[in-house]
Amino acid sequence: MLEEVERWLATRSWSVADRPLHRILAAKQRTGQSVSVVLPALNEEETVGDIVAVIRHDLMQQVPLVDEIVVVDSGSTDRTAQVAGAAGARVVHRDDILPRLPAVPGKGEVLWRSLLVTSGDVVCFIDADLKDFSSDFVSGIVGPLLTEPGVDLVKAMYDRPLAGAAGQGGRVTELMARPLLNMHWPQLAGFVQPLGGEYAARRSLLEQLPFPVGYGVELGMLVDSLHLVGLDALAQVDVGVRKHRHQDGQALGRMAAAIYRTAQLRLARGHLVRPSLTQFERGAEGFEPRTYSVDTEERPPMAEIAEYAARRVA
């Protein structure tokens, strides 16, 4: 791992417990910044209402941290819009935002359009399929943006259990995104959940970024933010455990392809190949990095090996 990343992990990786809510609220009041929470949603009637209700109760009614909750519905065929509205969110349909430009399917399209219907100085994105949701997901990633003037984007980090097994979720992260980042953008190797859908950023940054329309949006945003504002302006906060609906293998394959294409477009700028991979395990002090060498040597086709050719002749 780069020394720069080791230093970054020590200075820009926090726990939600590092910033008590009263400190975050004091910073919000002092700086006068407003906070918008955006939930991109497609057929999430089972979970979106609970998420909205928790945010409203904990961070709007109990304390005035969040100024607005907007659910952007990208064409749900279930009761997502009705459930979200009943829970207290403002619901906007994707196609009603910037109607002169026909919308295309994809999560990134929804996030991009959400900037047009929100007003917060800080915009917090939360996936709408989370289960057992805690408002720590919002306060944890919004906190550094209100208390640290030099931070522009904050990603949530967490455990992602799969079928009861800890740390086995995030398959596209481990098989596609983490190798790509380690090899081509090693400064970003310290992110535990680079593809996570829970992150917050200053509007002043988001409005300068291109948004891949599909699943590549998270990787694209990290890479572009690194180039635009530098590593020290990026951070992550440990918020515990993330439970959500897992997709099947084919859906993950499509996600991986979109992410690869997003990376491919950015590699046209030039890249650094670094044959090592940093992964993370939770230890007594939080997430701990483990760096492994990546096998880069290749053997030639056996038909080109003289001994093999001689055996065939014999």
Side-chain angles (χ1 to χ4, degrees):
M1 182 182 292
L2 296 174
E3 289 185 9
E4 181 182 6
V5 177
E6 292 180 348
R7 179 192 54 75
W8 179 85
L9 282 168
T11 60
R12 286 291 187 262
S13 291
W14 296 296
S15 165
V16 66
D18 291 336
R19 287 176 180 78
L21 198 51
H22 67 83
R23 179 184 166 196
I24 298 172
L25 289 168
K28 182 177 189 285
Q29 188 173 39
R30 182 176 65 253
T31 60
Q33 297 178 86
S34 55
V35 176
S36 299
V37 175
V38 172
L39 280 70
L42 177 63
N43 295 329
E44 303 294 357
E45 67 175 356
E46 294 184 3
T47 51
V48 68
D50 289 341
I51 297 171
V52 170
V54 168
I55 296 172
R56 278 191 59 82
H57 176 270
D58 293 359
L59 303 179
M60 296 182 80
Q61 296 170 348
Q62 295 286 86
V63 297
L65 179 62
V66 172
D67 297 283
E68 64 175 348
I69 307 175
V70 178
V71 170
V72 182
D73 188 345
S74 58
S76 297
T77 56
D78 65 1
R79 298 182 61 254
T80 291
Q82 297 93 316
V83 171
R90 177 160 59 92
V91 181
V92 184
H93 195 282
R94 174 200 62 196
D95 296 347
D96 294 332
I97 307 170
L98 199 63
R100 69 169 179 80
L101 190 64
V104 297
K107 179 183 179 182
E109 175 86 350
V110 173
L111 300 184
W112 177 68
R113 289 177 182 257
S114 76
L115 297 180
L116 283 165
V117 293
T118 55
S119 58
D121 302 301
V122 171
V123 182
C124 174
F125 298 119
I126 300 290
D127 279 351
D129 65 344
L130 302 189
K131 303 174 182 178
D132 302 328
F133 179 76
S134 166
S135 59
D136 285 348
F137 274 71
V138 175
S139 60
I141 56 180
V142 166
L145 294 165
L146 298 176
T147 61
E148 307 289 336
V151 172
D152 289 335
L153 184 147
V154 183
K155 298 277 294 188
M157 57 175 166
Y158 33 66
D159 291 310
R160 295 182 68 177
L162 177 64
Q168 295 304 304
R171 290 161 286 173
V172 175
T173 293
E174 299 303 329
L175 298 176
M176 174 63 74
R178 199 178 306 287
L180 278 173
L181 292 175
N182 275 260
M183 293 179 185
H184 298 296
W185 297 281
Q187 287 177 294
L188 298 174
F191 278 94
V192 176
Q193 298 291 351
L195 300 185
E198 292 69 45
Y199 48 99
R202 299 188 193 281
R203 179 176 294 272
S204 57
L205 171 62
L206 293 173
E207 64 190 13
Q208 298 181 67
L209 297 176
F211 277 62
V213 298
Y215 286 119
V217 64
E218 276 83 24
L219 183 135
M221 192 174 294
L222 268 186
V223 171
D224 293 339
S225 295
L226 174 67
H227 285 289
L228 192 61
V229 296
L231 183 60
D232 278 346
L234 313 180
Q236 61 185 349
V237 174
D238 186 353
V239 295
V241 178
R242 182 187 197 266
K243 298 179 182 179
H244 66 115
R245 171 176 45 79
H246 292 281
Q247 302 194 55
D248 61 31
Q250 288 188 334
L252 295 178
R254 294 189 293 273
M255 184 184 300
I259 290 164
Y260 178 76
R261 179 57 175 160
T262 299
Q264 187 180 50
L265 291 172
R266 282 151 180 78
L267 287 173
R269 303 170 179 164
H271 65 279
L272 171 67
V273 176
R274 182 174 173 81
S276 63
L277 175 69
T278 299
Q279 297 178 317
F280 293 85
E281 298 175 8
R282 186 182 283 281
E285 301 298 324
F287 284 101
E288 299 174 355
R290 301 283 188 272
T291 300
Y292 304 89
S293 296
V294 175
D295 293 331
T296 56
E297 185 177 354
E298 295 183 15
R299 299 296 186 189
M302 188 59 72
E304 297 178 13
I305 303 299
E307 290 85 349
Y308 188 79
R311 191 190 70 166
R312 293 185 64 182
V313 171

